[in-house]
Amino acid sequence: MWIASITIVESRIAAIPPTTSAISAFFTCGDSFASVVLLAALEHYRNSHPVDVPDTGTLRGDLLAALTGMGEARAAFFAIAAAAAFSGLLADTGLTPAQVRDRIMGDQRLSRVRTIYQRAHDRGEIDLERIPSAVLAMPFDLVRHDLLMDLEPLKPTRIRSIVDELFLPLVHNHHNGPGSA
C-alpha cells in the first residue's frame, strides 16, 4: 500500500537537513510526514489549476462563473482529499478537512470571494453591511459539499439553482430589509 511507501520515504527524508529539503517549506512544528505529503500534493494541484476571479458585471454572472470555475478546477482536489480521508492518511495528519483547505488555500480563498462581493456592493447590487457572512459563504459551501459528495464538477443546472433559487433570494431579502416590499 502507498501508506507503507510513505513511511519508508519519511525515514529517508528525516535524515536530510531541513534547510536542504524543498519539502521543509511545508513543515511547521509538529507536522507529520503524512501531512507534508498530503499538503504538498494538494498545493501542487491548486497551483497547477488556478481559478480566476470573474468580472462579468453582475453578481449573478460573477457567481455563476466563479462557482463553475471552482467546480471544474477543484473536483480532482476534492477527490484527492476524499481519498486521503478514506485511506486514513487524513487521520494520520491530525488535520480536519477544513484545516487542510485553510492550510492550502489560506487567504486566497477569502480574498476571491470578497472581491466578487465587493464589486457587487460597489455596483449597488448588494449591501454587504446587511448580509450575514453565513449567507455570503453559502454558495461556496454548497459547491464544496457537492464536490465532496460527488467528486465531479457540478452540473450547470445545480450551479444555477444554488445562485438563483437559494442565494439571490436570501441576498435580496437582506438587501431590501425586513418588512420591505
Side-chain angles (χ1 to χ4, degrees):
M1 184 146 228
W2 66 279
I3 300 282
S5 299
I6 288 175
T7 304
I8 293 167
V9 172
E10 176 180 14
S11 63
R12 290 184 182 155
I13 289 181
I16 301 171
T19 57
T20 62
S21 173
I23 246 173
S24 67
F26 292 103
F27 277 101
T28 60
C29 255
D31 275 352
S32 69
F33 185 74
S35 68
V36 171
V37 170
L38 177 62
L39 294 172
L42 292 173
E43 182 164 341
H44 171 75
Y45 184 84
R46 177 191 55 117
N47 289 338
S48 62
H49 296 82
V51 179
D52 294 327
V53 178
D55 189 6
T56 66
T58 67
L59 176 58
R60 180 181 185 275
D62 287 353
L63 281 174
L64 291 173
L67 297 175
T68 299
M70 177 184 170
E72 291 171 354
R74 300 288 185 242
F77 181 91
F78 280 88
I80 294 168
F86 291 128
S87 72
L89 179 60
L90 194 57
D92 290 346
T93 70
L95 300 170
T96 66
Q99 289 170 322
V100 170
R101 179 198 64 209
D102 291 343
R103 294 266 304 264
I104 296 299
M105 302 304 288
D107 286 339
Q108 178 187 32
R109 174 178 63 93
L110 297 176
S111 68
R112 294 179 66 251
V113 172
R114 273 187 290 235
T115 299
I116 290 170
Y117 291 136
Q118 187 61 51
R119 287 177 184 159
H121 177 84
D122 294 346
R123 289 188 300 260
E125 290 182 89
I126 60 173
D127 182 353
L128 287 174
E129 293 179 18
R130 297 182 75 164
I131 303 170
S133 60
V135 171
L136 296 172
M138 185 202 50
F140 297 92
D141 290 344
L142 288 173
V143 169
R144 276 191 295 278
H145 169 270
D146 286 9
L147 285 169
L148 189 57
M149 293 292 106
D150 299 330
L151 302 177
E152 62 184 32
L154 282 70
K155 301 210 178 328
T157 55
R158 174 63 175 153
I159 292 173
R160 283 192 303 274
S161 175
I162 290 170
V163 172
D164 294 337
E165 298 170 11
L166 302 173
F167 179 74
L168 289 177
L170 285 172
V171 166
H172 290 135
N173 182 51
H174 288 285
H175 186 68
N176 296 331
S180 297

